[in-house]
Amino acid sequence: MANIFLDNLVKRFGKQTAVKNLTLEVKDKEFVAILGPSGCGKTTTMNMISGLLKPDSGRVYFDGRDVTDVPPGKRGVGFVFQNYAVFTHMSVYDNIAFGLRIKKFPTEEIEREVRGVAELLKITHLLGVSASKLSINDMQKVALARSMVTKPKIFLLDEPLSNLDAALRNIMRAELKKIQQELGQTTIYVTHDQIEAMSLADRIAVMNFAVLQQYATPHEVYNKPVNLFVARFIGSPTINFFDALYESGRINMIDFKEGKIELSKRYRNQLNSLLKNNELVVGLRPEHLKVSGKKKNYNLKGQVVSFEPLGSKTIVYMHPDNNQGLIIKSAMESDFKPEIGDKLYLDFKESDLYVFDRKSTELVLKF
């Protein structure tokens, strides 16, 4: 068992609060990503779990045992840092064996464990090579192997893929997930990359300004973000936001000249019961927003300012017809080729709308 419970953690550096009142549970064998922008408190949280930092208040529990005052070396935690910290004057074998030798494991057992983890990470052919001659990708694998070989119950990864190029990151994401499932280790993964978090994690803890914003599955944080920040941070291309007012059972899209969205009875009833005021922000993801030269469901128009052919899709960028300072994004089929200056109608399903309270920024409704 390796269950982690963070109970109301607070960490300050001088007058700056790095983590504020964080309560979080990571279940045994779960893969959790802590996601957020730089300075949000994710690495500080990781360091309090490992014991490298002590919280100013709150407690850290492993399997119900309070480990807040237990030193890092006695917590049974494996830690892989962003910069790998590989010993370049040693061979790959000696790097991996380092922790086991410190713990005075028998030579035969060290040999067996090192070769086992090297086989798992597909680096057996590198065991005799000096670490100074390794590629960045292989250094990352050696750093993982050195931590994994000690068989920690809890595995902490602090942006271990950030130094790799895009192709290698894709490969290593798949390998990391496979390894974690095979070993059954409780894993916490710190990242600012939402694609890494969405593809790897069972649950994602989204943080901003030292505060936990949402803790849920990838599906939930994408489809039902609790506030504007989470909705904006999750998704690529980023979600479209429009200022709006709720008036007489319909949504008045302020950013458009004739931006009236007539709502179904079901939607009207929901909003009538949930809204605290009529000032809204309406969200619409680019993949749910389609454009064409013909009006369909709504009289919302935009003008094309640029587009990006990305192979599998084309991202179209437009100004609303009443707001030249706002960019709308639509993800269209790969063969869609607009002309700069085209005036297009926007179409979407009512059920794809996100409705947020403009004052509180909280999600009001998403079907």
Side-chain angles (χ1 to χ4, degrees):
M1 292 289 290
N3 176 278
I4 302 169
F5 181 63
L6 311 181
D7 185 13
N8 205 30
L9 294 189
V10 174
K11 185 62 185 178
R12 302 182 188 88
F13 296 100
K15 295 182 180 179
Q16 181 72 34
T17 299
V19 174
K20 183 177 181 181
N21 304 121
L22 175 62
T23 296
L24 191 71
E25 181 179 18
V26 181
K27 297 177 182 178
D28 181 45
K29 300 180 182 179
E30 190 173 26
F31 196 125
V32 166
I34 303 178
L35 174 68
S38 296
C40 71
K42 54 188 186 294
T43 295
T44 300
T45 299
M46 178 83 88
N47 287 338
M48 287 190 287
I49 295 170
S50 69
L52 295 177
L53 285 176
K54 186 174 179 179
D56 293 313
S57 62
R59 312 302 291 177
V60 178
Y61 297 91
F62 291 175
D63 294 330
R65 172 178 168 241
D66 189 341
V67 297
T68 311
D69 300 314
V70 176
K74 295 184 178 180
R75 292 195 183 191
V77 169
F79 208 141
V80 177
F81 298 92
Q82 179 179 347
N83 63 2
Y84 313 148
V86 170
F87 303 130
T88 54
H89 65 287
M90 294 182 180
S91 68
V92 169
Y93 184 100
D94 289 338
N95 264 277
I96 299 173
F98 184 80
L100 299 179
R101 285 172 175 161
I102 291 293
K103 295 181 178 181
K104 303 188 185 312
F105 275 58
T107 302
E108 298 80 6
E109 188 171 350
I110 293 174
E111 174 76 13
R112 183 175 64 254
E113 296 297 337
V114 169
R115 293 197 173 275
V117 75
E119 185 176 344
L120 184 64
L121 287 167
K122 300 180 177 63
I123 55 173
T124 304
H125 63 292
L126 297 175
L127 288 176
V129 176
S130 170
S132 63
K133 297 180 179 180
L134 297 177
S135 67
I136 291 176
N137 185 44
D138 288 332
M139 281 190 179
Q140 194 257 2
K141 288 185 175 182
V142 171
L144 285 170
R146 189 174 60 193
S147 182
M148 288 165 53
V149 77
T150 59
K151 297 182 179 179
K153 291 182 178 180
I154 296 169
F155 210 30
L156 305 179
L157 304 170
D158 190 358
E159 305 209 46
L161 307 185
S162 60
N163 292 332
L164 306 182
D165 62 38
L168 289 178
R169 282 202 302 273
N170 290 339
I171 293 170
M172 285 307 302
R173 280 202 302 268
E175 289 191 15
L176 269 177
K177 186 67 175 179
K178 179 174 178 288
I179 290 166
Q180 190 267 342
Q181 289 175 340
E182 288 181 1
L183 297 179
Q185 288 172 313
T186 303
T187 301
I188 300 179
Y189 188 100
V190 160
T191 182
H192 65 276
D193 187 328
Q194 50 129 340
I195 295 176
E196 287 184 6
M198 295 288 284
S199 60
L200 286 169
D202 300 312
R203 286 194 288 174
I204 301 173
V206 185
M207 296 186 69
N208 191 37
F209 293 124
V211 176
L212 178 65
Q213 303 291 314
Q214 186 169 2
Y215 187 37
T217 66
H219 182 271
E220 289 171 320
V221 296
Y222 183 81
N223 289 287
K224 285 201 172 182
V226 296
N227 56 34
L228 290 174
F229 172 79
V230 177
R232 184 184 294 111
F233 202 78
I234 301 291
S236 181
T238 55
I239 192 171
N240 298 295
F241 285 136
F242 308 102
D243 285 337
L245 296 171
Y246 183 63
E247 300 172 322
S248 303
R250 63 186 180 184
I251 295 177
N252 178 17
M253 304 283 278
I254 299 171
D255 295 309
F256 297 87
K257 287 181 181 177
E258 301 178 39
K260 305 290 185 182
I261 300 178
E262 298 291 342
L263 298 174
S264 65
K265 182 178 179 180
R266 176 190 178 194
Y267 218 143
R268 288 199 305 271
N269 290 341
Q270 291 263 19
L271 282 178
N272 288 337
S273 65
L274 294 171
L275 283 179
K276 297 178 180 178
N277 65 79
N278 71 334
E279 295 183 7
L280 309 177
V281 174
V282 173
L284 192 60
R285 294 203 179 275
E287 60 269 30
H288 297 149
L289 175 61
K290 302 303 176 184
V291 295
S292 70
K294 297 180 180 180
K295 177 183 174 181
K296 293 185 180 179
N297 295 314
Y298 308 103
N299 194 34
L300 306 180
K301 287 179 283 188
Q303 185 171 17
V304 177
V305 293
S306 66
F307 63 95
E308 291 179 332
L310 299 179
S312 62
K313 59 188 175 183
T314 296
I315 309 300
V316 183
Y317 298 90
M318 296 166 287
H319 288 312
D321 58 6
N322 198 41
N323 187 347
Q324 298 298 300
L326 181 64
I327 293 289
I328 312 167
K329 301 174 288 293
S330 170
M332 296 294 291
E333 295 77 11
S334 60
D335 58 354
F336 186 80
K337 296 179 181 178
E339 297 289 337
I340 305 301
D342 279 355
K343 294 183 179 180
L344 302 175
Y345 285 96
L346 281 58
D347 195 49
F348 48 88
K349 295 178 182 178
E350 182 184 62
S351 59
D352 288 328
L353 294 175
Y354 296 76
V355 179
F356 299 88
D357 184 296
R358 202 187 312 172
K359 294 180 180 178
S360 70
T361 78
E362 294 177 354
L363 180 69
V364 176
L365 180 62
K366 173 64 173 78
F367 282 150

